[in-house]
Amino acid sequence: MTADAHQAADAHQAAAGDGGGDGRRVLVLNGPNLGRLGKREPSVYGTATHADLVELCQAAGKELGLDVEVRQTEYEGELVTWVHEACDQAAPVVLNAGALTHYSYALMDAVKMRTAPLIEVHISNIAAREGFRHESVITPAASGIIAGFGFQSYVLALHAIASLLDRHCA
């Protein structure tokens, strides 16, 4: 069994005792400027708002049997603390760290401590944008990355997490 398989199994077992939903808790964590969706560069990010994203993630989670909690912060330390929380609770994470993706070694170190699947997501195709966006310090520590599908990137990430949990906890 791979490290990710062990982490997925541990996450499922730990989450099963939470009492929320059917016990499959997932944190969707968003970093700086993502609270400004709908106003921030609509040509890149679209006109849907962060509230729309929350609604979409919770609806997708419900369909997948996941108890999804969506959070957003402008602060690196708060995002690191949330990743630590997920590690301590063996909770899977969907992470869009925003600009922190490209330079936050503190966040990378936190992600390295993950105890469950963590999927890095981006609304835009970061490889097709400015050069500084091509490098992610998070990717090597993540289970996987999904980018360029708009808000659907989050839905795809939730499907990936549900699949990992189902495959390794059956």
Side-chain angles (χ1 to χ4, degrees), residues 4-161:
D4 279 347
H6 284 292
Q7 289 169 346
D10 291 345
H12 189 276
Q13 290 170 353
D18 280 354
D22 75 350
R24 294 170 14 137
R25 181 172 182 244
V26 177
L27 293 178
V28 175
L29 305 179
N30 292 298
N33 297 313
L34 290 162
R36 306 285 295 168
L37 290 170
K39 297 177 183 175
R40 177 186 178 207
E41 295 182 84
S43 62
V44 174
Y45 298 103
T47 57
T49 66
H50 188 266
D52 296 328
L53 177 63
V54 171
E55 187 177 315
L56 175 68
C57 289
Q58 289 176 338
K62 187 174 183 177
E63 288 178 18
L64 294 165
L66 302 173
D67 182 11
V68 173
E69 181 181 343
V70 182
R71 300 177 185 176
Q72 189 276 326
T73 184
E74 304 301 332
Y75 305 104
E76 180 179 22
E78 187 167 34
L79 193 56
V80 168
T81 298
W82 291 344
V83 171
H84 290 167
E85 175 189 329
C87 293
D88 292 345
Q89 297 174 2
V93 173
V94 173
L95 174 64
N96 185 340
L100 297 173
T101 298
H102 313 293
Y103 66 86
S104 178
Y105 297 113
L107 185 57
M108 175 196 66
D109 285 343
V111 170
K112 283 182 176 180
M113 291 183 263
R114 68 187 175 81
T115 56
L118 183 142
I119 309 296
E120 177 184 350
V121 299
H122 298 283
I123 295 167
S124 66
N125 178 355
I126 59 174
R129 297 194 56 204
E130 303 94 337
F132 77 90
R133 296 187 195 274
H134 298 180
E135 183 70 30
S136 167
V137 299
I138 305 302
T139 301
S143 303
I145 180 172
I146 299 171
F149 296 99
F151 281 14
Q152 195 64 25
S153 293
Y154 289 84
V155 174
L156 294 168
L158 290 168
H159 275 272
I161 285 175

